Amino acid sequence: MKFFIDTANLAEIKEAYDLGVLDGVTTNPSLMAKEGISGKDRILGHYKAICDIVDDCVSAEVIATDLKGMIAEGEELADIDDKIVVKIPMIEDGVKAIKYFSQKGIRTNCTLVFSAGQALLAAKAGASYVSPFIGRLDDVSTDGIQLIEQIVHIYNNYGYATEVLAASIRHPMHIIQCAEIGADVATCPLSAIKALLKHPLTDSGLEKFLSDYKKVNG
Ligand code: E4P
């Protein structure tokens, strides 16, 4: 399973990368705004700074919602670095834009996916990644994990190359459940990745090993 970090914060990206388990980054306009990144030049520069930290797969989202605009913006984003994956919303012109980029060999991440039907369309259009938002579904009393399971099942039926990227992850159990059902990628906040590290028996076990060592070695 690949781990992406879901942030535009450079320090957090560096921290996750240094842990040695990071395969990529996802951003969105809200995450960029949270870092105070505004204006075209600063936005493009920030994506470049992220690409310089990680090995591959930096999702950069278009703002346009019409086909022409998404193509122009997506091409500009893809020109920043080969690591860029153009993130496109699941809307009618978005599906067309995904098809366009897939024919040009530019990777895409279809975002704001909340149903199996949307995921099927994204795969047929040739998206590299599909991003079902599990936390936001859970927030409205709908089982986000069940949607991931359904999409994995459908993609396996037909051998689609599109990778299932579980997004809107809120806690470590989301990551575990996604891994159990075969999601290809989980994009997570740093807190959820670090929470995987923790177990009280690890802490108490280590404390005992070290105190036993000290008893005989001083
Ligand atoms: C990532 O690709 C998504 O934009 C992100 O996971 C959404 O997460 P949120 O629901 O916590 O905003």
Side-chain angles (χ1 to χ4, degrees), residues 25-75:
V25 181
T26 51
T27 63
N28 62 36
S30 305
L31 293 171
M32 292 291 276
K34 193 173 161 198
E35 298 308 312
I37 314 295
S38 61
K40 189 173 160 186
D41 289 350
R42 283 194 69 214
I43 289 173
L44 297 183
H46 197 77
Y47 286 135
K48 179 64 184 156
I50 295 174
C51 289
D52 287 345
I53 299 173
V54 298
D55 297 331
D56 196 16
C57 293
V58 176
S59 281
E61 188 160 340
V62 297
I63 303 299
T65 53
D66 64 298
L67 179 60
K68 207 169 150 216
M70 281 189 265
I71 288 175
E73 238 185 278
E75 284 181 336

Short mmCIF file of all heavy atoms in Angstrom, two decimals, residues 25-75:
data_model
loop_
_atom_site.label_atom_id
_atom_site.label_comp_id
_atom_site.label_asym_id
_atom_site.label_seq_id
_atom_site.Cartn_x
_atom_site.Cartn_y
_atom_site.Cartn_z
N VAL A 25 2.27 13.02 -2.33
CA VAL A 25 1.58 14.10 -1.62
C VAL A 25 0.28 14.42 -2.36
O VAL A 25 0.25 14.40 -3.60
CB VAL A 25 2.45 15.39 -1.63
CG1 VAL A 25 1.77 16.53 -0.88
CG2 VAL A 25 3.84 15.12 -1.03
N THR A 26 -0.78 14.70 -1.59
CA THR A 26 -1.98 15.27 -2.22
C THR A 26 -2.23 16.64 -1.60
O THR A 26 -2.03 16.83 -0.40
CB THR A 26 -3.23 14.38 -2.01
OG1 THR A 26 -3.36 14.07 -0.63
CG2 THR A 26 -3.16 13.11 -2.82
N THR A 27 -2.62 17.57 -2.46
CA THR A 27 -3.01 18.89 -1.98
C THR A 27 -4.40 19.17 -2.55
O THR A 27 -4.88 18.42 -3.40
CB THR A 27 -2.04 19.98 -2.50
OG1 THR A 27 -2.12 20.03 -3.92
CG2 THR A 27 -0.60 19.69 -2.09
N ASN A 28 -5.02 20.21 -2.06
CA ASN A 28 -6.24 20.71 -2.68
C ASN A 28 -6.28 22.22 -2.42
O ASN A 28 -5.45 22.73 -1.65
CB ASN A 28 -7.49 19.96 -2.16
CG ASN A 28 -7.71 20.12 -0.67
OD1 ASN A 28 -7.46 21.18 -0.10
ND2 ASN A 28 -8.16 19.07 -0.01
N PRO A 29 -7.19 22.95 -3.04
CA PRO A 29 -7.19 24.41 -2.87
C PRO A 29 -7.34 24.83 -1.40
O PRO A 29 -6.76 25.84 -0.99
CB PRO A 29 -8.39 24.86 -3.72
CG PRO A 29 -8.49 23.79 -4.78
CD PRO A 29 -8.14 22.52 -4.10
N SER A 30 -8.08 24.05 -0.61
CA SER A 30 -8.24 24.42 0.81
C SER A 30 -6.92 24.26 1.56
O SER A 30 -6.55 25.09 2.39
CB SER A 30 -9.31 23.54 1.47
OG SER A 30 -10.51 23.62 0.77
N LEU A 31 -6.19 23.17 1.26
CA LEU A 31 -4.90 22.94 1.94
C LEU A 31 -3.88 24.00 1.54
O LEU A 31 -3.07 24.43 2.36
CB LEU A 31 -4.38 21.53 1.62
CG LEU A 31 -5.20 20.37 2.19
CD1 LEU A 31 -4.72 19.02 1.62
CD2 LEU A 31 -5.14 20.33 3.71
N MET A 32 -3.91 24.43 0.27
CA MET A 32 -2.99 25.49 -0.18
C MET A 32 -3.34 26.80 0.54
O MET A 32 -2.46 27.52 1.01
CB MET A 32 -3.08 25.67 -1.70
CG MET A 32 -2.55 24.49 -2.50
SD MET A 32 -0.77 24.26 -2.40
CE MET A 32 -0.22 25.39 -3.67
N ALA A 33 -4.64 27.09 0.63
CA ALA A 33 -5.08 28.33 1.30
C ALA A 33 -4.69 28.31 2.77
O ALA A 33 -4.29 29.34 3.33
CB ALA A 33 -6.59 28.47 1.15
N LYS A 34 -4.76 27.13 3.39
CA LYS A 34 -4.39 27.00 4.81
C LYS A 34 -2.93 27.41 5.05
O LYS A 34 -2.58 27.92 6.10
CB LYS A 34 -4.61 25.54 5.22
CG LYS A 34 -4.57 25.27 6.69
CD LYS A 34 -4.97 23.84 6.99
CE LYS A 34 -4.49 23.43 8.36
NZ LYS A 34 -4.47 21.98 8.51
N GLU A 35 -2.09 27.19 4.03
CA GLU A 35 -0.67 27.57 4.15
C GLU A 35 -0.45 29.02 3.72
O GLU A 35 0.68 29.49 3.69
CB GLU A 35 0.21 26.64 3.28
CG GLU A 35 0.16 25.19 3.67
CD GLU A 35 0.46 24.95 5.15
OE1 GLU A 35 1.46 25.51 5.64
OE2 GLU A 35 -0.32 24.23 5.82
N GLY A 36 -1.54 29.70 3.34
CA GLY A 36 -1.44 31.11 2.93
C GLY A 36 -0.82 31.29 1.55
O GLY A 36 -0.29 32.35 1.24
N ILE A 37 -0.86 30.24 0.72
CA ILE A 37 -0.26 30.32 -0.62
C ILE A 37 -1.30 30.88 -1.60
O ILE A 37 -2.31 30.23 -1.86
CB ILE A 37 0.19 28.93 -1.12
CG1 ILE A 37 0.96 28.16 -0.05
CG2 ILE A 37 0.99 29.04 -2.42
CD1 ILE A 37 2.27 28.77 0.34
N SER A 38 -1.03 32.08 -2.12
CA SER A 38 -1.98 32.68 -3.07
C SER A 38 -1.22 33.28 -4.24
O SER A 38 -0.02 33.54 -4.15
CB SER A 38 -2.79 33.76 -2.37
OG SER A 38 -1.92 34.77 -1.90
N GLY A 39 -1.93 33.52 -5.35
CA GLY A 39 -1.32 34.10 -6.55
C GLY A 39 -0.66 33.00 -7.36
O GLY A 39 -0.03 32.08 -6.80
N LYS A 40 -0.81 33.12 -8.69
CA LYS A 40 -0.35 32.03 -9.57
C LYS A 40 1.12 31.67 -9.37
O LYS A 40 1.47 30.49 -9.22
CB LYS A 40 -0.60 32.44 -11.01
CG LYS A 40 -0.38 31.32 -11.99
CD LYS A 40 -0.83 31.76 -13.35
CE LYS A 40 -0.20 30.88 -14.40
NZ LYS A 40 -0.48 31.35 -15.74
N ASP A 41 2.00 32.66 -9.34
CA ASP A 41 3.43 32.35 -9.25
C ASP A 41 3.78 31.64 -7.95
O ASP A 41 4.55 30.69 -7.93
CB ASP A 41 4.27 33.63 -9.39
CG ASP A 41 4.23 34.16 -10.81
OD1 ASP A 41 3.72 33.44 -11.69
OD2 ASP A 41 4.67 35.31 -11.02
N ARG A 42 3.19 32.13 -6.86
CA ARG A 42 3.48 31.49 -5.56
C ARG A 42 2.92 30.08 -5.52
O ARG A 42 3.54 29.16 -4.97
CB ARG A 42 2.91 32.32 -4.41
CG ARG A 42 3.74 33.56 -4.09
CD ARG A 42 3.33 34.14 -2.75
NE ARG A 42 3.69 33.28 -1.62
CZ ARG A 42 2.98 33.15 -0.50
NH1 ARG A 42 1.84 33.80 -0.35
NH2 ARG A 42 3.37 32.36 0.47
N ILE A 43 1.75 29.89 -6.10
CA ILE A 43 1.14 28.55 -6.10
C ILE A 43 2.01 27.58 -6.90
O ILE A 43 2.37 26.50 -6.41
CB ILE A 43 -0.31 28.61 -6.65
CG1 ILE A 43 -1.21 29.32 -5.64
CG2 ILE A 43 -0.83 27.22 -6.98
CD1 ILE A 43 -2.63 29.61 -6.12
N LEU A 44 2.43 28.00 -8.11
CA LEU A 44 3.27 27.11 -8.93
C LEU A 44 4.61 26.85 -8.23
O LEU A 44 5.12 25.73 -8.22
CB LEU A 44 3.49 27.71 -10.32
CG LEU A 44 2.24 27.93 -11.20
CD1 LEU A 44 2.62 28.47 -12.57
CD2 LEU A 44 1.42 26.65 -11.37
N GLY A 45 5.16 27.89 -7.60
CA GLY A 45 6.43 27.76 -6.88
C GLY A 45 6.30 26.80 -5.70
O GLY A 45 7.22 26.03 -5.39
N HIS A 46 5.15 26.86 -5.03
CA HIS A 46 4.95 25.97 -3.88
C HIS A 46 4.87 24.51 -4.33
O HIS A 46 5.43 23.62 -3.68
CB HIS A 46 3.69 26.38 -3.12
CG HIS A 46 3.62 25.81 -1.74
ND1 HIS A 46 4.36 26.30 -0.68
CD2 HIS A 46 2.94 24.75 -1.24
CE1 HIS A 46 4.12 25.59 0.41
NE2 HIS A 46 3.25 24.62 0.09
N TYR A 47 4.19 24.27 -5.45
CA TYR A 47 4.14 22.89 -5.96
C TYR A 47 5.56 22.41 -6.29
O TYR A 47 5.90 21.25 -6.04
CB TYR A 47 3.25 22.79 -7.20
CG TYR A 47 1.77 22.87 -6.91
CD1 TYR A 47 0.93 23.66 -7.68
CD2 TYR A 47 1.21 22.14 -5.86
CE1 TYR A 47 -0.43 23.73 -7.41
CE2 TYR A 47 -0.14 22.21 -5.59
CZ TYR A 47 -0.96 23.01 -6.37
OH TYR A 47 -2.30 23.08 -6.09
N LYS A 48 6.37 23.30 -6.85
CA LYS A 48 7.75 22.92 -7.19
C LYS A 48 8.52 22.57 -5.91
O LYS A 48 9.27 21.59 -5.86
CB LYS A 48 8.43 24.06 -7.97
CG LYS A 48 9.87 23.79 -8.35
CD LYS A 48 9.99 22.60 -9.33
CE LYS A 48 11.44 22.27 -9.62
NZ LYS A 48 11.62 20.86 -10.07
N ALA A 49 8.30 23.38 -4.86
CA ALA A 49 8.99 23.12 -3.58
C ALA A 49 8.59 21.75 -3.02
O ALA A 49 9.43 21.02 -2.47
CB ALA A 49 8.67 24.23 -2.59
N ILE A 50 7.32 21.39 -3.18
CA ILE A 50 6.87 20.06 -2.71
C ILE A 50 7.55 18.97 -3.55
O ILE A 50 8.07 17.99 -3.00
CB ILE A 50 5.32 19.95 -2.80
CG1 ILE A 50 4.66 20.93 -1.83
CG2 ILE A 50 4.89 18.51 -2.49
CD1 ILE A 50 3.13 20.99 -1.94
N CYS A 51 7.59 19.18 -4.87
CA CYS A 51 8.22 18.18 -5.76
C CYS A 51 9.69 17.98 -5.39
O CYS A 51 10.22 16.87 -5.52
CB CYS A 51 8.12 18.62 -7.22
SG CYS A 51 6.44 18.53 -7.87
N ASP A 52 10.33 19.03 -4.93
CA ASP A 52 11.76 18.92 -4.59
C ASP A 52 12.00 18.09 -3.32
O ASP A 52 13.11 17.66 -3.06
CB ASP A 52 12.38 20.32 -4.43
CG ASP A 52 12.53 21.01 -5.78
OD1 ASP A 52 12.44 20.31 -6.82
OD2 ASP A 52 12.73 22.23 -5.80
N ILE A 53 10.95 17.89 -2.51
CA ILE A 53 11.12 17.11 -1.28
C ILE A 53 10.91 15.61 -1.54
O ILE A 53 11.65 14.78 -1.04
CB ILE A 53 10.12 17.58 -0.18
CG1 ILE A 53 10.38 19.04 0.18
CG2 ILE A 53 10.22 16.68 1.06
CD1 ILE A 53 9.33 19.63 1.13
N VAL A 54 9.88 15.28 -2.35
CA VAL A 54 9.48 13.87 -2.47
C VAL A 54 9.95 13.24 -3.78
O VAL A 54 10.41 13.93 -4.68
CB VAL A 54 7.94 13.73 -2.32
CG1 VAL A 54 7.49 14.21 -0.95
CG2 VAL A 54 7.21 14.49 -3.42
N ASP A 55 9.82 11.90 -3.84
CA ASP A 55 10.32 11.17 -5.02
C ASP A 55 9.34 11.21 -6.20
O ASP A 55 9.75 11.16 -7.35
CB ASP A 55 10.59 9.70 -4.66
CG ASP A 55 11.69 9.59 -3.62
OD1 ASP A 55 12.56 10.48 -3.59
OD2 ASP A 55 11.66 8.63 -2.82
N ASP A 56 8.02 11.24 -5.90
CA ASP A 56 7.05 11.19 -7.01
C ASP A 56 5.65 11.56 -6.50
O ASP A 56 5.44 11.69 -5.29
CB ASP A 56 7.03 9.78 -7.63
CG ASP A 56 6.36 9.77 -9.01
OD1 ASP A 56 6.18 10.85 -9.59
OD2 ASP A 56 6.01 8.68 -9.48
N CYS A 57 4.73 11.68 -7.45
CA CYS A 57 3.29 11.80 -7.18
C CYS A 57 2.89 12.98 -6.30
O CYS A 57 2.58 12.80 -5.11
CB CYS A 57 2.74 10.52 -6.55
SG CYS A 57 2.78 9.12 -7.64
N VAL A 58 2.87 14.16 -6.87
CA VAL A 58 2.38 15.35 -6.16
C VAL A 58 1.09 15.80 -6.85
O VAL A 58 1.14 16.31 -7.97
CB VAL A 58 3.43 16.48 -6.18
CG1 VAL A 58 2.88 17.74 -5.53
CG2 VAL A 58 4.72 16.02 -5.48
N SER A 59 -0.03 15.59 -6.19
CA SER A 59 -1.31 15.97 -6.80
C SER A 59 -1.54 17.47 -6.66
O SER A 59 -1.53 18.01 -5.54
CB SER A 59 -2.47 15.23 -6.12
OG SER A 59 -2.57 13.92 -6.60
N ALA A 60 -1.74 18.14 -7.79
CA ALA A 60 -1.98 19.59 -7.83
C ALA A 60 -3.32 19.81 -8.53
O ALA A 60 -3.51 19.35 -9.66
CB ALA A 60 -0.85 20.28 -8.58
N GLU A 61 -4.24 20.49 -7.83
CA GLU A 61 -5.62 20.54 -8.31
C GLU A 61 -5.91 21.77 -9.18
O GLU A 61 -5.48 22.88 -8.87
CB GLU A 61 -6.56 20.53 -7.10
CG GLU A 61 -8.02 20.38 -7.45
CD GLU A 61 -8.86 19.88 -6.28
OE1 GLU A 61 -8.31 19.30 -5.32
OE2 GLU A 61 -10.08 20.08 -6.33
N VAL A 62 -6.66 21.56 -10.26
CA VAL A 62 -7.08 22.67 -11.11
C VAL A 62 -8.22 23.42 -10.42
O VAL A 62 -8.96 22.85 -9.62
CB VAL A 62 -7.55 22.19 -12.51
CG1 VAL A 62 -6.43 21.51 -13.28
CG2 VAL A 62 -8.76 21.26 -12.40
N ILE A 63 -8.34 24.71 -10.77
CA ILE A 63 -9.42 25.53 -10.21
C ILE A 63 -10.54 25.68 -11.24
O ILE A 63 -11.70 25.80 -10.91
CB ILE A 63 -8.87 26.94 -9.83
CG1 ILE A 63 -7.70 26.81 -8.84
CG2 ILE A 63 -9.98 27.83 -9.26
CD1 ILE A 63 -8.05 26.15 -7.53
N ALA A 64 -10.17 25.66 -12.53
CA ALA A 64 -11.16 25.80 -13.60
C ALA A 64 -12.17 24.67 -13.53
O ALA A 64 -11.85 23.56 -13.06
CB ALA A 64 -10.45 25.79 -14.95
N THR A 65 -13.37 24.94 -14.01
CA THR A 65 -14.41 23.90 -14.03
C THR A 65 -14.93 23.64 -15.45
O THR A 65 -15.87 22.88 -15.63
CB THR A 65 -15.59 24.27 -13.09
OG1 THR A 65 -16.04 25.57 -13.43
CG2 THR A 65 -15.18 24.24 -11.64
N ASP A 66 -14.32 24.31 -16.43
CA ASP A 66 -14.69 24.05 -17.83
C ASP A 66 -13.52 23.33 -18.51
O ASP A 66 -12.37 23.46 -18.06
CB ASP A 66 -15.00 25.35 -18.57
CG ASP A 66 -13.78 26.24 -18.65
OD1 ASP A 66 -13.28 26.66 -17.59
OD2 ASP A 66 -13.28 26.47 -19.77
N LEU A 67 -13.81 22.59 -19.57
CA LEU A 67 -12.82 21.73 -20.20
C LEU A 67 -11.58 22.51 -20.65
O LEU A 67 -10.44 22.14 -20.34
CB LEU A 67 -13.45 20.98 -21.38
CG LEU A 67 -12.52 20.05 -22.16
CD1 LEU A 67 -11.94 18.96 -21.26
CD2 LEU A 67 -13.25 19.41 -23.34
N LYS A 68 -11.85 23.63 -21.35
CA LYS A 68 -10.73 24.42 -21.87
C LYS A 68 -9.84 24.91 -20.74
O LYS A 68 -8.60 24.83 -20.79
CB LYS A 68 -11.30 25.62 -22.66
CG LYS A 68 -10.39 26.12 -23.73
CD LYS A 68 -11.12 27.11 -24.64
CE LYS A 68 -10.07 28.09 -25.16
NZ LYS A 68 -10.58 29.44 -25.29
N GLY A 69 -10.47 25.41 -19.70
CA GLY A 69 -9.73 25.95 -18.55
C GLY A 69 -8.95 24.85 -17.83
O GLY A 69 -7.79 25.04 -17.44
N MET A 70 -9.58 23.69 -17.66
CA MET A 70 -8.90 22.58 -16.95
C MET A 70 -7.70 22.10 -17.75
O MET A 70 -6.65 21.76 -17.18
CB MET A 70 -9.88 21.42 -16.71
CG MET A 70 -10.79 21.66 -15.53
SD MET A 70 -11.74 20.20 -15.07
CE MET A 70 -13.23 20.52 -15.96
N ILE A 71 -7.84 22.06 -19.08
CA ILE A 71 -6.73 21.62 -19.93
C ILE A 71 -5.57 22.61 -19.83
O ILE A 71 -4.41 22.23 -19.61
CB ILE A 71 -7.19 21.42 -21.40
CG1 ILE A 71 -8.06 20.16 -21.48
CG2 ILE A 71 -6.00 21.31 -22.34
CD1 ILE A 71 -8.68 19.91 -22.84
N ALA A 72 -5.89 23.91 -19.94
CA ALA A 72 -4.83 24.94 -19.88
C ALA A 72 -4.12 24.89 -18.53
O ALA A 72 -2.88 24.86 -18.44
CB ALA A 72 -5.43 26.31 -20.13
N GLU A 73 -4.91 24.84 -17.45
CA GLU A 73 -4.33 24.83 -16.11
C GLU A 73 -3.55 23.54 -15.84
O GLU A 73 -2.46 23.55 -15.29
CB GLU A 73 -5.47 24.90 -15.10
CG GLU A 73 -5.39 26.08 -14.17
CD GLU A 73 -6.49 25.97 -13.15
OE1 GLU A 73 -7.64 26.36 -13.46
OE2 GLU A 73 -6.22 25.47 -12.06
N GLY A 74 -4.14 22.42 -16.27
CA GLY A 74 -3.50 21.12 -16.04
C GLY A 74 -2.17 21.02 -16.77
O GLY A 74 -1.20 20.49 -16.23
N GLU A 75 -2.13 21.57 -17.99
CA GLU A 75 -0.86 21.50 -18.75
C GLU A 75 0.21 22.35 -18.08
O GLU A 75 1.38 21.96 -18.00
CB GLU A 75 -1.09 21.94 -20.20
CG GLU A 75 -1.79 20.81 -20.97
CD GLU A 75 -2.06 21.11 -22.44
OE1 GLU A 75 -2.14 22.31 -22.80
OE2 GLU A 75 -2.20 20.14 -23.20
#
